[in-house]
Structures are given as C-alpha cells and as structure tokens.
Amino acid sequence: LSSNSLGGRVPWSIGLLTRLNDINLSTNSLSSSIPSSLGLLTRLTSLNLSGCSLMGTVPGMLSYLTGLYALDLSSNALNGTLPKLRKYSRLAHLDLSANSFQGTVSGGVGKLSLLQHLDLSVNQLNGTLPKGLGRISLLSHLDLSMNSFNGNLPEDLDQLTALTNLNLASNTINGTIPDSLGNLTNLRSLNFSTNLLNGSIPASFGDFSHLLYFDVSYNGLNGSLPVSFSRLSALKHLQVANNQLNQTLPASISSLISLTNLNISINFINGTFPAAISSLTNLVALDVHFNSMNCSFPSYISTLTKLTWLDMSDNKFWGPLGETIGTLTDLEFLCVYTCHAMPPNHTIA
C-alpha cells in the first residue's frame, strides 16, 4: 500500500493479521503513532513505515519482531531513544534516519552480525560512536551523519572491509584519522566532512581504488594531499575545503582523470598552480579560492572546456587573463576577485 494518499491512524487491529510476512505502508500520510499491536506479527520479515509522518516513540513490543530482515522507519517524526537493536539479530537492513531520536547508540548494534545497511543519519544522537561496529563484518553501508556524535573514530572501523559507503559527516568527531582505515579498499564513498578532525590525510587512502566520492572538508586537517592519491583513477569528487592544508598541490593530481569536482578552497595551499591540472579535462567545477598560490594566471585552464564553475579568487595570481576565459563557453559562475589578473590589452590609468 506504499505511495498512496492514505491518511489517519494505523489501526490497532493490524496486529490481528498474524500471518503477515511483509508490511509496506511507506510514503503515506498516516500522522499517528506506531501501534504496539505490530509486535504481535511475529512472522514479519520486513516492515517499512518510512515517510509516513509518524510521531511518538517506537513501542517496546516491536522488539518481539525478532525475525525481521528489514526495518525502515526513516523520514518520520519519531522521538525518544532508539529501540533495543540487539533484539533484531536477523536484520540485514536498518534505516531509522531523518527522525528525532535522542541519546546514545548502545554497543548492542555490534551484535547484528548479518547487518549490511545501517542508516541512523539526521537524528539527535550523541555520545561516542558505538563500540563493536567492527564486528559487523557484512556491513556495506554505514551512515551516521548529521547527529552529535563526539570522541575519536573507533579503532575497529578498519575491520569493516565490506564497506562501500561510509558517511560520518556533520558530527563533532575529533582526533586523527587512523592510517588503518586504508584497509577499507571497497569504499566508493567516504564523507568525514564538518567534524573536528585534525592531523593529516592518511597516505593509505591511496589504496581506495574504487573510490568515487571523497569529502573531508570543514575539519582541521593539515599537510597536503597525499601523493598516493594519484592512484585514485576512478575518483569523481574530491572535496578538502576549509582545512589547514599548507603545502603545494602535488603534480600527481594529473592522474585523477575522472575528476568532475575539485574543491581545495579555504586552506593555506601555496606555491604555483600546477600545470598538471590541465589534464583534468572532465572537470565541471573547480574551486581553489582563499589559498596562497602565487603565479601568473594559469593559461592552461583553457583546456578545461567542461567547466561550469570556476572560483580562483583570494589568491596571488597575477598577469593577464589572456584568451583563457573565452574558451570556457560552458561557464555559469566565474570569480577571480582580489586576484591581480587583468584581461588582455588592459591598461591601468
């Protein structure tokens, strides 16, 4: 009955349908609480109540549904603490995202040994990241973003070698990034943005040969982009903005031939703008603003003909723009504010 225009309360009598194996009422406007009678449906293997405007807490009786393979309560207005996750030992898919759950995540989540997809993002969860995550060896998708988790990255994260998506963005996680996370060689997407991480970007991340998306922006990371990143030939999005990177941009960046988005803005990157960037002909967005690069305005940008966004402002580029900009016919945004570049034939009175 998903994606209809159903309204009103979920009837208590639904608990009398004891032969049900699968309930999908997602994307309706039920605007009620979850009836505790659902706990009587002990044959259920899948329960999807996502996007139903449900309110209130998760009834304790749902812990009787020990045969659940998939539980999706995402995109509602549920509150209170998380249900006792250790009860759902057969779960492979758990999505409680986009609610208002509060409190900590117990170590019981580490006992869900069959779990492949865990999404607790966009809640009000706090405390340190749950212990025992590394025991969930089948986990391929982990999203704990947009909460208030704090403390360091768990040491056992490096054991989640099946992970393809890891998103811990928009928390208050601090400390350094363990080099051992380079073990997660199946990653397609890694997002640690908007935290309090410091130290350098591990060179071991160059082993992420399948990586498509990398975002560690809005932290306190220093050093430079590792030269080992030259091995990330599949990478499309590289976001390291608003850190404290303070060295030159390595010429090895030329190997990232699949890049479409490169954002290294608001750092302390110095030296010249590497000609190697001219090899990144798939770039659609390039943002290097607010750094300390110092050289003549790079004419080789003219090879980046797919650019729609170019921001080179607040650097120390100088000299004429030449014919560079005129070749970028797809540009929708251009900013060279406070650079010292001048258009061709420009004279200062």
Side-chain angles (χ1 to χ4, degrees), residues 16 34 38 61 65-66 89 106 128 140 149 194 197 240 256 260 267 274 288-289 340 342:
L16 302 178
I34 300 174
L38 283 176
M61 281 189 65
L65 304 181
T66 55
S89 59
S106 73
T128 58
S140 62
F149 290 116
T194 319
L197 296 168
V240 295
L256 304 182
T260 60
N267 280 286
V288 303
H289 86 270
H340 301 288
M342 296 178 291

Side-chain angles (χ1 to χ4, degrees), residues 173 175 177 192-201 214-225 238-247 263-269 289-291:
I173 300 167
I177 302 175
F192 287 167
S193 65
T194 319
N195 278 286
L196 301 173
L197 296 168
N198 54 50
S200 59
I201 300 171
F214 181 81
D215 191 348
V216 293
S217 55
Y218 292 88
N219 279 284
L221 300 170
N222 55 41
S224 67
L225 283 178
L238 175 55
Q239 315 281 338
V240 295
N242 213 316
N243 278 284
Q244 298 175 27
L245 302 180
N246 53 10
Q247 299 182 24
N263 190 341
I264 60 172
S265 63
I266 318 178
N267 280 286
F268 301 97
I269 296 171
H289 86 270
F290 212 98
N291 277 286

Side-chain angles (χ1 to χ4, degrees), residues 271-275 293-301 312 315-322 324 339-342:
T272 61
F273 191 80
M293 286 182 277
N294 188 349
C295 62
S296 61
F297 196 86
S299 60
Y300 36 83
I301 283 182
M312 303 184 70
N315 278 282
K316 298 176 183 178
F317 298 123
W318 48 267
L321 291 175
T324 299
C339 289
H340 301 288
M342 296 178 291

Side-chain angles (χ1 to χ4, degrees), residues 63-293:
S63 64
Y64 295 143
L65 304 181
T66 55
L68 280 179
Y69 172 85
L71 175 61
D72 191 342
L73 303 178
S74 62
S75 302
N76 283 293
L78 298 170
N79 55 45
T81 58
L82 293 174
K84 295 180 179 179
L85 299 177
R86 67 178 182 275
K87 299 284 188 178
Y88 303 107
S89 59
R90 298 184 184 181
L91 273 181
H93 182 104
L94 176 61
D95 192 343
L96 303 177
S97 63
N99 280 286
S100 297
F101 289 117
Q102 301 172 342
T104 61
V105 181
S106 73
V109 69
K111 297 181 180 180
L112 305 181
S113 59
L114 301 180
L115 202 59
Q116 299 174 34
H117 181 109
L118 175 60
D119 192 341
L120 302 178
S121 63
V122 197
N123 278 287
Q124 299 170 26
L125 301 170
N126 55 40
T128 58
L129 293 173
K131 295 180 179 180
L133 281 175
R135 296 198 298 267
I136 315 175
S137 60
L138 300 178
L139 199 62
S140 62
H141 178 100
L142 175 60
D143 192 344
L144 303 178
S145 62
M146 298 186 71
N147 280 286
S148 297
F149 290 116
N150 54 46
N152 296 337
L153 292 167
E155 294 181 0
D156 60 355
L157 272 184
D158 61 357
Q159 298 176 36
L160 299 177
T161 55
L163 272 184
T164 59
N165 181 70
L166 175 57
N167 191 348
L168 303 178
S170 300
N171 283 285
T172 54
I173 300 167
N174 54 44
T176 59
I177 302 175
D179 189 70
S180 60
L181 290 187
N183 293 339
L184 308 181
T185 54
N186 287 307
L187 279 178
R188 268 67 170 174
S189 176
L190 185 149
N191 192 344
F192 287 167
S193 65
T194 319
N195 278 286
L196 301 173
L197 296 168
N198 54 50
S200 59
I201 300 171
S204 63
F205 282 11
D207 294 331
F208 296 153
S209 58
H210 304 292
L211 197 67
L212 301 174
Y213 184 94
F214 181 81
D215 191 348
V216 293
S217 55
Y218 292 88
N219 279 284
L221 300 170
N222 55 41
S224 67
L225 283 178
V227 173
S228 61
F229 269 37
S230 62
R231 302 197 295 270
L232 305 181
S233 57
L235 192 64
K236 293 183 178 294
H237 295 260
L238 175 55
Q239 315 281 338
V240 295
N242 213 316
N243 278 284
Q244 298 175 27
L245 302 180
N246 53 10
Q247 299 182 24
T248 58
L249 203 59
S252 58
I253 199 171
S254 63
S255 300
L256 304 182
I257 55 176
S258 298
L259 268 188
T260 60
N261 293 74
L262 174 60
N263 190 341
I264 60 172
S265 63
I266 318 178
N267 280 286
F268 301 97
I269 296 171
N270 53 49
T272 61
F273 191 80
I277 283 186
S278 64
S279 302
L280 308 182
T281 54
N282 286 308
L283 276 180
V284 174
L286 174 61
D287 193 341
V288 303
H289 86 270
F290 212 98
N291 277 286
S292 300
M293 286 182 277

